[in-house]
Amino acid sequence: MSSRKVIELFFDVVSPYSWLAFEVMCRYRKVWNIELRLRPTFLGGVMEGSGNKPPGLVPNKFLYMGKDLNRLSEYFNVPLKPPADVPEAMFKKGSLNAMRVERVSRELWRRIWYEDRDITEPASLSEAAMKAGLSDSEIKRALELCNSQEVKEKLKSATEEALDYGAFGFPLVVCHLNGKPELFFGSDRFELLAHCIGEKWLGPLPDKSTAKL
């Protein structure tokens, strides 16, 4: 078997499209000959650094996104349900602390994009971590690390790396081919990604036995 191709996924739980990419790439790391590296990153920093505008600031984009997410939820088998106040969840509250806790990403996505619940307070992070299977001691340690300089620098570094690659939003998939990074933005480039790495796109559920989340 040829050496595995390294694929980095830059994401933020405040982005619903990132959740779709996260689930698909996690499914395909068992199917494709790849080494998947998950890169939790601060979307707010990428938007500011690239000069991009959030979809909530463009009325037509915002209206389209609501309808689009309903279709994508069914297609990708990911339980997306936008919160009642999307701009507040995405832009006012944000996800800075949440993105410092990588292991509970799926539960954080579920809270904000399905249950319409908070992801900013320590109690919210603790509950999500508990559902993700972390022990009490692991949760305590994770919350302590959230405010540590080490974790802050790690998130800052990931954000700067994403910008250096040319990021302007998430999800961002960076595939390393022949020593060069190839960028794929969004949750609708998987077929093209498969073509570029010499693999087959088998749809959003490569394993038909994949259970509902």
Side-chain angles (χ1 to χ4, degrees), residues 20-50:
L20 301 174
F22 178 90
E23 296 296 350
V24 169
M25 293 309 302
C26 284
R27 293 167 187 169
Y28 269 88
R29 65 179 167 188
K30 301 176 182 178
V31 179
W32 291 344
N33 186 31
I34 61 174
E35 177 187 336
L36 178 62
R37 297 178 182 175
L38 300 175
R39 304 295 305 277
T41 314
F42 183 42
L43 178 58
V46 167
M47 298 294 282
E48 182 178 352
S50 65

Side-chain angles (χ1 to χ4, degrees), residues 52-83:
N52 197 4
K53 290 184 178 181
L57 298 182
V58 183
N60 283 353
K61 278 187 178 182
F62 182 71
L63 291 173
Y64 175 81
M65 187 175 78
K67 298 177 181 178
D68 191 41
L69 291 177
N70 287 332
R71 294 184 298 227
L72 293 172
S73 174
E74 180 179 356
Y75 179 69
F76 285 105
N77 189 27
V78 175
L80 279 170
K81 184 180 178 183

